Amino acid sequence: MTIKEIQEEIIDEFSMFEDWMERYEYIIDLGKSLPLIDEAYKLDENLITGCQSKVWLHSEVKGDKINFTADSDAILTKGIVAILLRVFNNQKPADILNADLFFIDKIGLKEHLSPTRANGLVSMIKQIKLYALAHQSKLS
């Protein structure tokens, strides 16, 4: 699936919920289903700066696509990173770099996060794109 198709799928899923309490519960459930990151990647160098809670993000190239693994010590943040990985995992670096993340505004995610969590969301996206940029330069 393309990044655009995945985002449309996420928008459809979030539209099924009546209110934000249900959406928060769904985000938390997504975090619980996030595959465990290898403990070897829970290093300070993999921590995302700008997040209120600890978020570890690791990437590696398989073929011409990037695979991400992540974890967080906060359950809601873990859910947010799970959504981002669903969008960006197994995508080509150029597609990640050129992605327009319209789903965040469409589902109202940023406006329903505390300012520090919203900053963390921006930091996570920025780090994912930095990894994509680094991997793209290696693949070229």
Side-chain angles (χ1 to χ4, degrees):
M1 284 179 88
T2 67
I3 289 175
K4 184 176 187 285
E5 290 167 339
I6 295 166
Q7 290 185 86
E8 287 167 354
E9 196 175 80
I10 292 168
I11 292 166
D12 286 345
E13 288 168 17
F14 273 79
S15 70
M16 292 187 281
F17 300 107
E18 296 290 318
D19 60 41
W20 262 93
M21 285 315 295
E22 291 178 355
R23 289 178 180 188
Y24 287 132
E25 287 173 25
Y26 181 60
I27 292 170
I28 289 167
D29 286 343
L30 291 173
K32 289 175 182 172
S33 67
L34 185 67
L36 291 176
I37 190 172
D38 188 316
E39 287 296 317
Y41 299 131
K42 279 191 162 182
L43 307 167
D44 286 348
E45 66 197 46
N46 289 333
L47 278 172
I48 296 176
T49 55
C51 286
Q52 178 182 359
S53 40
K54 288 188 173 184
V55 179
W56 295 271
L57 180 68
H58 174 74
S59 69
E60 56 188 53
V61 174
K62 293 203 175 154
D64 62 347
K65 296 184 178 174
I66 304 177
N67 283 331
F68 293 98
T69 53
D71 195 9
S72 176
D73 62 354
I75 193 67
L76 186 65
T77 306
K78 192 170 180 170
I80 293 167
V81 81
I83 294 170
L84 291 176
L85 292 196
R86 182 169 155 196
V87 171
F88 290 121
N89 208 21
N90 209 25
Q91 300 289 340
K92 293 180 179 178
D95 294 338
I96 293 170
L97 292 168
N98 296 321
D100 169 27
L101 293 183
F102 57 87
F103 84 96
I104 293 169
D105 289 332
K106 287 263 194 208
I107 66 173
L109 181 59
K110 212 171 184 180
E111 66 195 60
H112 286 89
L113 294 175
S114 67
T116 50
R117 281 230 165 82
N119 287 341
L121 172 66
V122 170
S123 296
M124 287 183 240
I125 294 166
K126 185 176 169 187
Q127 189 60 49
I128 288 168
K129 291 200 174 208
L130 283 172
Y131 276 132
L133 189 62
H135 289 307
Q136 185 179 38
S137 64
K138 288 178 193 170
L139 290 171
S140 315

